[in-house]
Amino acid sequence: MTNAVLESLKTRRSCRKYESRQITKEELDAVLEAGTWAPTAMGTQNPLIVVVQDPETIAKIERLNGGVMGNPDGHPFYGAPTLLIVFADSSRGTFVEDGSLVMGNLLNAAHAAGLGSCWVHRAREVFDSEEGKAMMKAWGVPESYKGIGNCILGYPVEEAPAKPRKEGYVIYAK
């Protein structure tokens, strides 16, 4: 079966090298819209997406993210000009799953729009820190929310090849 959606899902890869130019508002809006249509448990739509395009703020969050890994001078955002941070309400038992589905939609929509993207982990640790909590408060993100993931976006410098799919990925129950 050939289908544009299935083909897009099969060809999406994580991007770790970006052009410095900013993505367009139309591209950003399309990716964000896809994120808002992610399924959530009982249709609660509890996740939030914070958009960061200010280079200084991205650098600050990147430094905190690198610090969680023990390397505050590292560059885990790979020069991406846009950062989408997904948060979800930790008072809900499915907050990780709900936020993860939003992340998946963002990543897949970015590829469909011709953008590079990558899930960069450690959002929970960054936004559990005092600096992270201060940013959340300034953005209006409620205290009960936890960071789920960082979705970096931009124009890819290079395409990554797909790895072959592993044997035994699917098991048919009998």
Side-chain angles (χ1 to χ4, degrees), residues 2-174:
T2 302
N3 172 297
V5 173
L6 296 175
E7 192 59 31
S8 185
L9 292 172
K10 286 174 24 179
T11 58
R12 193 210 75 79
R13 300 286 165 266
S14 293
C15 178
R16 292 182 177 85
K17 192 170 186 180
Y18 296 88
E19 294 181 12
S20 60
R21 67 184 166 116
Q22 190 55 267
I23 64 174
T24 69
K25 180 176 179 358
E26 293 76 24
E27 291 163 334
L28 175 61
D29 288 346
V31 172
L32 291 169
E33 182 178 17
T36 69
W37 283 99
T40 56
M42 301 180 70
T44 59
Q45 302 178 40
N46 78 86
L48 298 172
I49 306 165
V50 173
V51 179
V52 183
Q53 292 185 305
D54 170 56
E56 289 180 14
T57 305
I58 290 173
K60 178 179 181 179
I61 298 167
E62 183 175 46
R63 177 183 51 77
L64 292 170
N65 191 291
V68 172
M69 295 188 307
N71 184 8
D73 295 324
H75 294 285
F77 294 166
Y78 304 104
T82 296
L83 169 62
L84 307 179
I85 309 159
V86 175
F87 294 92
D89 187 354
S90 66
S91 70
R92 305 226 17 109
T94 58
F95 80 101
V96 172
E97 293 84 354
D98 290 345
S100 295
L101 286 164
V102 170
M103 284 291 294
N105 272 24
L106 295 172
L107 296 166
N108 288 317
H111 177 63
L115 299 172
S117 66
C118 187
W119 179 323
V120 178
H121 209 55
R122 298 170 297 281
R124 184 173 309 178
E125 295 89 341
V126 166
F127 293 100
D128 277 349
S129 73
E130 290 308 312
E131 281 184 273
K133 287 178 184 177
M135 284 186 270
M136 288 174 62
K137 184 174 184 175
W139 298 332
V141 177
E143 288 182 25
S144 64
Y145 277 64
K146 296 287 184 185
I148 301 299
N150 301 287
C151 177
I152 55 175
L153 297 175
Y155 299 111
V157 170
E158 57 195 14
E159 298 290 325
K163 294 179 181 176
R165 301 296 91 180
K166 69 179 184 177
E167 291 291 321
Y169 212 131
V170 177
I171 299 172
Y172 288 91
K174 297 179 183 183

